[in-house]
Amino acid sequence: MSGSPVILGLEAATGVSSVALMHGGQVITRRHDHGRARTDALLSLADELLAEAGVRRSALDAVACGRGPGGFTGVRIGVGVAQGIAMGVGCPVVGLSTLQILAETARAAHPGRQAIAALLDARMGEVYAGCYRVDDAGWTTAVGAEWLADPDTWALPTGDWLGVGSGFARFPALAHRDGLVGCEAGMVPEMHCAMALAAARFAAGEILRPEALEPRYLRDRVAHQTPVGGDG
């Protein structure tokens, strides 16, 4: 395929839902921040973007989606809407971690920052956590696995880390952990910040059939895993 891909992106795993469209090398975006994700709101945002760009759904090359972790309902709705659109069009999907979308949002806001700790409030006294470093290509890459943890067990690999996400708002003491050089508890995952990453994954063939996209809840895995440590 010649030219840049046409990709619709959806992220709904937190209280803020965002939709983005990459078309002609440009990215436009919409967001819904009125509480819990809703299927009709996501579809409406997607249709607004497509209409603004003058793009038919049939022109989509792929649908990118944040697959969690995050709120159960939001993750399920985001994945379901992405699958529905992609199945209707007959295009593949690109699954992205919601924590990595948050890390990409932080990278975009702080271009010089090389290490980002993304924490989301997981309720039940726990956090979803992921650590990311910016690689030579400019993308965030995971340092170890994402995990679900008791905040008291959370520790950072060696380095100077920027902490972002609602986990820090829910547990303010985490902002004082060793290794953190800054914290933005109000930052949320914004899909438009991860569209270049989605396009790179698409170009590399890292795609799925819509029905193969699975939510990532983490809560069905063993909680209180040992956090990543050492030099990463």
Side-chain angles (χ1 to χ4, degrees), residues 17-32:
S17 301
S18 61
V19 179
L21 178 67
M22 173 177 281
H23 171 61
Q26 303 297 313
V27 176
I28 55 177
T29 185
R30 292 283 190 281
R31 76 192 322 239
H32 172 85

Side-chain angles (χ1 to χ4, degrees), residues 106-134:
R107 182 188 64 81
H110 301 278
R113 184 61 61 192
Q114 298 297 308
I116 299 163
L119 263 66
L120 291 173
D121 181 12
R123 310 296 183 184
M124 298 176 66
E126 296 174 313
V127 291
Y128 299 120
C131 292
Y132 300 86
R133 295 191 193 274
V134 179

